[in-house]
Amino acid sequence: MPAAAKIDLSSLPEDQRDVVADFLREHADLLAANAVLKAETTDLRQIVQRLEHLVAELNHVVHGKKSEKLDEDDRQLAFEDLEAAVAEVETQHDERASSDEVPRRKVTPAQRNRGNLPADLPRIEQIIEPDSLECPCGCGRMHRIGEDRAERLDIVPAQLRVLATIRPKYACRVCTDGVTQAPAPAALIEGGLPTEGAIAHVLVSKYADHLPLYRQSQILARSGVSIHRSTLADWVGVAGFHLRPVVDRLAEHLKSSGKLFMDETTAPVLDPGRGRTKTSYLWALARDDRAWGGADPPGVVFFYAPDRGGQNAERFLRGFDGTLQLDGYTGYNRLTRPSRKGGDPIRVAHCWAHARRKLKEVFDRDGSEIAAEGLRRIAEVYAVEADIRGSAPDQRLSARQARTAPLVAAFGDWLQAQRLRVSPKSRLGEKLAYIHRHWEGLQTFLHDGRVEIDSNSVENLIRPIALNRKNALFAGHDEGGKAWGRIASLVETAKINGIEPFAYLKATLEAIANGHPQSAIDDLLPWNFKPSS
């Protein structure tokens, strides 16, 4: 057909010229549309190929060999990078679609979660007026009949400012009775550089946003403020000292409960004498009764210990008498003995999630049918828990007695039968023995509607400790480990109570600097914080 474009219309009869001309124009339009479709197809093919590559990488991360899988935190980073790559590809496509070089069909933008802009954020309005308000027809000045409003999120990097306190001095010109001057405002660090807000910012950056102090020092330097990390460390130490009574009171409040969670996680600490780090631990003691509508607010305290010995748990739990939900670590066994120091023997509720995990490890490795059957039975128990989640304790107890108890009894019979069949030295035999050793504690939730089926609540609370461990690598010394646990206790308790950590720490440090009375220390607990308007 390109040859048709060379047709000399003048050589055609006059009554055919218009028909041929219309045909050629339609043909040219079809060629242009075809070119557009080819260009779009090429772009889409490139997008699909890249997305397929990204998805294949992610599938390898999520579903690949166990040794190559990422943990939950790293997996989130993988998802972030995938979404960023997808946005980059789509932006490239949109840019080419809007290019003047090749006409494109209008594409409806993808519906995305664009976030939200809270009403209390400060708003700076930019009113953009037309170049002229005179009517083009010469009727005079036009009148405003409405407006279009679009809001976008703007971010200004951390704004540093200097608070200059000026205290004028006054004296009488007649007498010499002395000089009058207002007293200096209270400060957490007398004569020091930082305000309480600056200290709170450093604490939140380190223990909530997981920014080591040397990185914070680098960020400040980019704004022209040179503050060495050792100075920032001094601020953290001072804050840790003044916040200790608040954390101690938080621990007392938690230990007055009838049911708590406990778990421990590693906290590497530098050991200068050996030129490397040593493995210390942060023990998390948590309360979270939200699953059954408990009146006590949730909270967590992290206790630092240089080792994982069970005597640490015994010391931290001094004064607590109740039910403790935990994993199968043998160090907790001493808590159930009559010889327990610091209280009566503790009633233990073991974690079904750990029991399930043991069987899942075997199933993932060799596809054991016995492990698969155990997982199926545990799934039935969890299905009941899903149905009663959020119910009152008495309702949960009633449902468990009626529906769950028969399932657990059947699981116990099945467990004993499989232990007779499987070698105790095999990998599966070891996992079944683990469940058998903790069988009594695994049944505790059947007799108390307040008790959870697992200890996932406290495991979720210690995840930020793992994030901080990855970023900071280790604590500088044992005292640093104690400060780590102390401030993390307040940060995480604030977060699970829906309190913004910076606002809470700033107000708390200001109250302490102004001499907040020890008798009213409960007012400084995170769940009692009232944000100012």
Side-chain angles (χ1 to χ4, degrees), residues 362-372:
V362 177
F363 178 77
D364 288 343
R365 180 177 179 179
D366 53 28
S368 166
E369 293 184 2
I370 295 177

Side-chain angles (χ1 to χ4, degrees), residues 6-20:
K6 299 179 181 179
I7 294 177
D8 184 3
L9 296 178
S10 63
S11 64
L12 298 175
E14 187 173 349
D15 59 343
Q16 297 180 4
R17 292 176 185 174
D18 290 343
V19 175
V20 174

Side-chain angles (χ1 to χ4, degrees), residues 117-428:
L117 301 176
D120 58 350
L121 283 182
R123 279 163 167 76
I124 300 175
E125 295 188 345
Q126 297 176 317
I127 300 177
I128 304 175
E129 297 282 7
D131 293 336
S132 173
L133 296 180
E134 297 298 324
C135 178
C137 299
C139 303
R141 192 173 182 83
M142 292 185 288
H143 298 280
R144 183 170 177 171
I145 60 173
E147 67 181 21
D148 289 331
R149 184 183 184 96
E151 293 190 340
R152 297 186 300 160
L153 178 65
D154 188 30
I155 297 179
V156 179
Q159 183 180 14
L160 307 180
R161 61 183 185 181
V162 177
L163 295 183
T165 301
I166 301 173
R167 297 185 295 133
K169 297 180 179 180
Y170 296 91
C172 179
R173 293 182 180 274
V174 178
C175 65
T176 58
D177 289 344
V179 176
T180 298
Q181 184 182 36
L188 197 71
I189 302 179
E190 293 292 342
L193 187 67
T195 64
E196 288 68 42
I199 298 174
H201 177 77
V202 172
L203 296 180
V204 170
S205 297
K206 179 174 174 62
Y207 296 105
D209 300 328
H210 319 297
L211 275 176
L213 296 180
Y214 77 90
R215 292 183 189 171
Q216 294 190 50
S217 178
Q218 293 170 349
I219 294 172
L220 290 170
R222 291 203 298 268
S223 298
V225 178
S226 178
I227 300 179
H228 195 269
R229 60 177 176 78
S230 62
T231 302
L232 299 179
D234 289 341
W235 299 358
V236 172
V238 172
F241 170 79
H242 288 287
L243 291 172
R244 180 186 300 172
V246 182
V247 179
D248 290 344
R249 177 57 187 144
L250 174 60
E252 292 175 4
H253 202 287
L254 295 184
K255 287 191 286 187
S256 66
S257 306
K259 180 186 70 68
L260 294 174
F261 297 89
M262 196 169 203
D263 201 358
E264 71 287 336
T265 186
T266 57
V269 173
L270 189 63
D271 189 359
R274 302 165 63 194
R276 56 183 180 180
T277 60
K278 61 181 180 180
T279 301
S280 298
Y281 288 85
L282 285 173
W283 299 66
L285 184 64
R287 177 179 65 203
D288 191 351
D289 297 336
R290 291 174 292 180
W292 49 271
D296 291 330
V300 60
V301 172
F302 296 98
F303 299 95
Y304 171 81
D307 55 57
R308 201 186 181 195
Q311 71 277 5
N312 295 310
E314 193 171 37
R315 184 173 75 256
F316 300 146
L317 289 167
R318 187 162 294 166
F320 171 69
D321 292 309
T323 301
L324 190 66
Q325 298 207 236
L326 36 75
D327 58 23
Y329 172 49
T330 57
Y332 293 117
N333 291 346
R334 64 194 299 144
L335 301 175
T336 64
R337 298 168 185 164
S339 59
R340 176 208 167 194
K341 298 178 181 177
D344 298 328
I346 286 177
R347 186 187 189 194
V348 168
H350 282 122
C351 174
W352 275 90
H354 280 78
R356 181 186 183 280
R357 202 171 299 162
K358 299 295 183 182
L359 295 176
K360 186 72 164 53
E361 290 172 0
V362 177
F363 178 77
D364 288 343
R365 180 177 179 179
D366 53 28
S368 166
E369 293 184 2
I370 295 177
E373 174 64 15
L375 291 173
R376 185 191 65 78
R377 290 174 177 270
I378 294 176
E380 292 178 343
V381 176
Y382 268 91
V384 178
E385 289 299 304
D387 289 343
I388 62 176
R389 184 173 296 117
S391 301
D394 56 344
Q395 294 174 318
R396 300 206 317 171
L397 179 60
S398 177
R400 286 170 176 172
Q401 289 289 328
R403 300 171 57 189
T404 307
L407 297 175
V408 172
F411 184 93
D413 295 338
W414 171 86
L415 176 66
Q416 298 306 322
Q418 303 313 312
R419 292 189 67 221
L420 295 175
R421 294 176 52 194
V422 177
S423 169
K425 295 184 179 180
S426 67
R427 198 160 182 265
L428 177 58

